[in-house]
Amino acid sequence: MGQQLYFDNYSPVGDLIVVAICFVMIILVAASYVSKTKGFNLFLNMIGYLVLASFCDIIHHQLYTNVADGNYTAVYVIRILYHAFLFSILLLFVVYIVEIQRLEIRKRIPIMSISSIIYLTVLITDIVTAVRKTGFRLDRNGKAISGLNIFLIGYLAFMVVIIFLMVAYRDRIYKRAMVGFYGTMAVSFIILFMQGRHGQSSFTAATFLFPIIAMMYLIHSTPYDVELGAVNAAALKDLVKYNYDKKRDFIFMSLYLPDFDAEGRIIPKELQTTIRHFSSEFFKNAVLFQVSNGHVILIAPKNNNPDHENRINRILNSFQLEYERFQFDYKVIIGNSAEEISRKNEYVSFIQNIHRNMEINTIHLMQPEDVGAFNRYEYILDELEDINKKHDLRDERVLAFCQPVYNIKTGKYDTAEALMRLKLPELGMVFPDQFIPIAEEQGFIHVLTEIILQKTCDEIRRLIQEGYEVNRISVNVSVLELRDDGFTGDIDQIIDDSGIPNEKVAIEITESRSDSDFLMMKGKIEELKDRGIKFYLDDFGTGYSNMERIMELPFDIIKFDRSLVLASDADKKSEKMVGSLANMFSELNYSVLYEGVENDGDEKRCINMSASYLQGYKYSRPIPITELDQFFSKVDG
Ligand code: C2E
Ligand code: CA
Ligand code: CA
């Protein structure tokens, strides 16, 4: 029968180390940003049970060594508790794996039933064999006798369940994380094996430690950027979900620095330090998240910061001071968690949508309307996505409007600009300022252009067939689209298929700042230009203009922006300036078109300033393209 067994070879060192490591883990969990996803509480419980188990083991041996004659009950009880804690950890480990594998209920039931049966069997056997003196027991002299070792059997049975789970559903966990779990479990086995060979019993609890360390490292840890003090944005979703589940409100502050937001850019060291201080100085328990190179979001729980209004004011005051020092462009948004955004867990896109509509170097305090605007944005985005997917060039949601253009030389309307609108089931008419930026950002602009071009070509063909004099209709194209290799081919194809001459179509583009864009644009414009398509330079006079480059591109018409029409009204000097610019262009054989001509005064000035074409509300508001026949004249008429 089992003699002295492991008892003589026990030293509390193993258990003490386990307790110490558990405390280290608790300190690390408190100090780091951990993602509190579903398994997190299980993970904490496992650490707790491990500490308890180690203590029980120490006490158990202590009691055994000092056991007084006769009364051995405490030794038995503590021993059973020790097993209960260890097996609870194994049971929780199974629940944990099932959780991270997101196993369906149907598959969970057998796994959990088997695990519970093993768990109960071990504990009941422990108790029964103790009572019947067939398992572990102390003899009359207080010597321990091992008896039936149910512990090892239970341990192995759990391992079989765990390994089964990890093999059968291996596809559900990222492979490298899996390797981490296998690796740490292998270390546990080696220790268990070595301990057995040496007749030791001090390191049993230690073998439970390694899978727990693996969990912390692989699943819950989210490293800080030590300089900025931020964690990555993926963790933001976890925190939002956690707060939403617990119904906890929070404050968020978003700092966007466009200068540093490009790829490869980074916030300068000194500014990083300032941001790091900011994120810990003003709010308790705040966490900073880095969304992109130039965008950080601070989340602070409301219940830890009852005086948040004050704190917000203080942070804003300090921010102004820092701004005077650094002078980098910024957009700041401050707001409260909103039920709807939390439910969708979309604070980043919510904030980005506010950015889209706010001025640079301003601070925006979130309004209830922002949520509505975001819903609208998402709806538009969904529709654009669908339009893009269907790729129906006659999609009814995309409307071609147009504005007839007055030709001064002929005194007639024979050209027009196509302008896009969306007509969406839930919103009705949507104007370009509401969807063009979204479409450009999300890569849906080209399909919209194709649809407008298709509808414009359809209308040109109809007008020609009905005997109208159509010089041409221009379509707006985004510089972003030109970057795409298929651009010229797509344009060509649509015009070709509709059977109208190429020169009936013009493309309006705006200037681009970048050098690489310029060369790329030049190539594509020349290619289409060779086939007869006309080109207009749109929005001349808004901001930046590089004359040298404009001259290098084969434009037919320069469209003077409405801001120049307005400027020319300010005083004689400005009128002279705009006029000489226009004059210079016409002497170089470009035609000048003035946009935004609203009244007789505008018209008169523009005619005096070398205008060839006039466009604006004075002649017509944008109308459905099919109503253009009201402006155009018949060839013979
Ligand atoms: P844009 O190309 O400069 O178009 C002229 C804009 O000025 C149109 O606004 C037009 O309605 C407006 N406008 C016309 N006459 C007057 C006037 O007398 N006074 C004033 N204040 N405004 C006038 P809309 O249709 O809202 O379009 C806005 C912008 O959206 C366009 O500016 C263009 O950049 C973009 N856009 C419109 N349609 C398309 C399109 O099919 N594709 C692309 N990529 N962009 C488009
Ligand atoms: Ca235009
Ligand atoms: Ca324009």
Side-chain angles (χ1 to χ4, degrees):
M1 282 284 301
Q3 296 75 13
Q4 307 105 326
L5 351 113
Y6 46 86
F7 267 61
D8 296 336
N9 276 333
Y10 176 81
S11 141
V13 168
D15 285 318
L16 285 174
I17 284 286
V18 171
V19 172
I21 294 178
C22 285
F23 280 115
V24 167
M25 283 204 282
I26 291 169
I27 292 168
L28 292 181
V29 166
S32 58
Y33 181 78
V34 286
S35 54
K36 292 175 178 160
T37 38
K38 271 212 171 138
F40 183 67
N41 283 332
L42 295 172
F43 162 75
L44 283 187
N45 281 321
M46 286 162 80
I47 295 182
Y49 284 140
L50 192 51
V51 170
L52 290 173
S54 303
F55 274 129
C56 284
D57 202 21
I58 295 170
I59 296 168
H60 169 55
H61 286 87
Q62 201 63 34
L63 281 176
Y64 162 70
T65 323
N66 304 321
V67 75
D69 341 43
N71 188 4
Y72 299 147
T73 319
V75 179
Y76 288 113
V77 170
I78 290 285
R79 189 189 133 91
I80 287 170
L81 276 180
Y82 167 61
H83 281 180
F85 288 132
L86 286 187
F87 279 91
S88 300
I89 297 173
L90 291 173
L91 191 63
L92 288 182
F93 193 49
V94 173
V95 179
Y96 187 86
I97 294 182
V98 163
E99 194 63 65
I100 59 173
Q101 287 179 328
R102 297 181 194 285
L103 277 204
E104 299 80 354
I105 297 292
R106 179 169 53 81
K107 291 179 176 157
R108 282 186 195 206
I109 291 172
I111 296 286
M112 289 324 301
S113 312
I114 293 172
S115 305
S116 307
I117 290 169
I118 300 173
Y119 180 80
L120 291 173
T121 309
V122 168
L123 294 186
I124 292 169
T125 313
D126 244 1
I127 296 171
V128 171
T129 54
V131 172
R132 298 173 58 186
K133 308 228 180 284
T134 52
F136 165 83
R137 59 193 178 277
L138 299 172
D139 68 10
R140 223 171 281 124
N141 306 318
K143 267 260 173 268
I145 295 163
S146 71
L148 173 70
N149 198 347
I150 185 70
F151 174 81
L152 195 61
I153 298 170
Y155 190 96
L156 291 176
F158 260 112
M159 284 305 134
V160 170
V161 173
I162 289 167
I163 290 172
F164 165 78
L165 271 177
M166 289 174 62
V167 172
Y169 305 112
R170 61 185 174 282
D171 298 342
R172 303 196 177 197
I173 305 182
Y174 178 52
K175 201 165 141 214
R176 289 203 194 171
M178 201 69 143
V179 170
F181 277 113
Y182 280 136
T184 51
M185 281 166 61
V187 172
S188 298
F189 273 121
I190 291 170
I191 290 188
L192 207 63
F193 175 73
M194 299 294 283
Q195 156 169 294
R197 286 208 42 183
H198 292 273
Q200 257 285 351
S201 68
S202 314
F203 302 102
T204 310
T207 62
F208 286 68
L209 198 55
F210 304 109
I212 299 181
I213 293 179
M215 279 179 197
M216 167 146 157
Y217 190 82
L218 296 170
I219 300 188
H220 299 291
S221 77
T222 313
Y224 291 116
D225 176 319
V226 282
E227 281 165 297
L228 191 56
V231 288
N232 69 48
L236 176 64
K237 291 223 169 200
D238 292 339
L239 184 66
V240 169
K241 181 163 184 344
Y242 180 78
N243 281 307
Y244 180 71
D245 290 343
K246 303 238 161 198
K247 300 206 181 344
R248 289 190 191 149
D249 287 330
F250 58 83
I251 301 147
F252 69 83
M253 304 187 89
S254 153
L255 171 66
Y256 174 59
L257 301 165
D259 292 343
F260 307 112
D261 207 41
E263 208 172 311
R265 300 300 301 274
I266 110 166
I267 299 175
K269 283 268 161 337
E270 216 188 328
L271 187 54
Q272 284 196 359
T273 311
T274 310
I275 293 173
R276 191 179 71 228
H277 286 315
F278 255 74
S279 56
S280 52
E281 228 171 78
F282 295 91
F283 291 96
K284 283 196 201 116
N285 293 65
V287 186
L288 187 69
F289 297 90
Q290 183 156 32
V291 176
S292 55
N293 289 350
H295 188 192
V296 291
I297 298 176
L298 187 70
I299 303 268
K302 264 196 179 165
N303 55 350
N304 294 104
N305 298 281
D307 53 342
H308 50 267
E309 311 260 315
N310 277 333
R311 291 169 192 260
I312 288 174
N313 285 335
R314 280 185 11 234
I315 206 170
L316 287 180
N317 288 338
S318 305
F319 180 80
Q320 288 301 344
L321 292 178
E322 293 300 341
Y323 176 64
E324 275 156 35
R325 187 153 75 99
F326 288 106
Q327 302 272 332
F328 292 122
D329 282 349
Y330 67 86
K331 287 184 181 182
V332 167
I333 301 170
I334 296 173
N336 292 310
S337 48
E339 206 273 343
E340 208 173 338
I341 311 294
S342 291
R343 177 163 43 78
K344 294 190 196 157
N345 207 339
E346 287 192 355
Y347 281 93
V348 173
S349 12
F350 174 66
I351 287 170
Q352 284 167 343
N353 191 50
I354 300 178
H355 284 165
R356 199 174 285 119
N357 303 314
M358 74 188 273
E359 298 285 321
I360 195 81
N361 298 335
T362 55
I363 294 170
H364 177 88
L365 300 178
M366 179 185 150
Q367 305 295 320
E369 298 87 82
D370 294 335
V371 177
F374 180 61
N375 287 335
R376 192 179 157 92
Y377 158 79
E378 286 210 308
Y379 174 68
I380 293 173
L381 185 58
D382 280 352
E383 290 284 330
L384 288 176
E385 222 160 1
D386 188 63
I387 290 169
N388 188 54
K389 198 179 82 209
K390 296 219 166 80
H391 203 261
D392 168 11
L393 297 190
R394 294 193 173 84
D395 197 310
E396 292 191 343
R397 290 168 289 185
V398 183
L399 303 185
F401 268 58
C402 79
Q403 209 175 13
V405 172
Y406 183 70
N407 182 337
I408 294 177
K409 216 186 303 163
T410 60
K412 285 183 194 167
Y413 297 96
D414 55 7
T415 62
E417 174 183 13
L419 294 165
M420 190 174 350
R421 309 289 179 250
L422 292 184
K423 194 173 156 206
L424 302 180
E426 282 177 27
L427 293 178
M429 189 90 104
V430 184
F431 289 86
D433 58 321
Q434 301 246 353
F435 68 86
I436 299 275
I438 304 174
E440 285 186 339
E441 212 176 81
Q442 307 286 336
F444 301 135
I445 187 71
H446 184 55
V447 67
L448 296 181
T449 301
E450 288 182 293
I451 296 172
I452 288 297
L453 180 61
Q454 179 65 60
K455 295 191 172 185
T456 301
C457 289
D458 289 349
E459 185 59 18
I460 293 173
R461 193 182 50 219
R462 184 183 76 93
L463 287 169
I464 294 174
Q465 274 168 0
E466 291 180 11
Y468 287 93
E469 204 175 323
V470 184
N471 203 338
R472 77 188 85 86
I473 298 180
S474 58
V475 170
N476 291 284
V477 163
S478 155
V479 179
L480 297 174
E481 290 174 68
L482 286 168
R483 293 202 185 123
D484 202 88
D485 284 339
F487 177 78
T488 47
D490 291 345
I491 300 289
D492 236 19
Q493 171 119 43
I494 294 171
I495 303 176
D496 268 8
D497 288 354
S498 49
I500 59 167
N502 283 345
E503 58 273 11
K504 297 289 171 198
V505 174
I507 287 177
E508 297 193 7
I509 47 172
T510 53
E511 275 180 87
S512 164
R513 277 176 164 236
S514 97
D515 291 316
S516 55
D517 266 355
F518 175 77
L519 289 173
M520 172 275 303
M521 264 166 79
K522 188 166 182 299
K524 303 224 165 141
I525 293 175
E526 280 167 352
E527 195 183 331
L528 289 172
K529 179 87 187 168
D530 283 346
R531 298 183 204 161
I533 295 169
K534 305 272 190 239
F535 275 86
Y536 295 5
L537 176 68
D538 203 358
D539 299 339
F540 176 76
T542 54
Y544 164 93
S545 282
N546 183 332
M547 285 301 173
E548 213 174 309
R549 281 187 181 173
I550 293 175
M551 304 293 174
E552 262 192 69
L553 298 174
F555 288 117
D556 300 280
I557 290 182
I558 309 293
K559 294 189 79 170
F560 275 41
D561 187 74
R562 166 157 173 80
S563 56
L564 293 181
V565 177
L566 281 176
S568 69
D569 194 24
D571 50 60
K572 279 283 153 207
K573 201 169 143 200
S574 312
E575 187 177 339
K576 194 139 183 95
M577 255 181 65
V578 178
S580 2
L581 263 174
N583 191 39
M584 178 202 77
F585 277 117
S586 34
E587 285 190 349
L588 292 167
N589 278 330
Y590 295 97
S591 299
V592 172
L593 182 159
Y594 284 95
E595 280 192 287
V597 177
E598 290 189 355
N599 49 45
D600 293 345
D602 288 347
E603 178 180 69
K604 207 164 143 237
R605 278 197 321 285
C606 292
I607 292 175
N608 283 334
M609 299 188 296
S610 313
S612 299
Y613 298 96
L614 300 174
Q615 178 182 350
Y617 294 164
K618 176 173 192 302
Y619 312 100
S620 169
R621 297 247 162 194
I623 50 169
I625 201 162
T626 47
E627 292 171 18
L628 204 52
D629 49 14
Q630 295 170 12
F631 286 86
F632 281 18
S633 24
K634 297 251 176 176
V635 180
D636 37 303

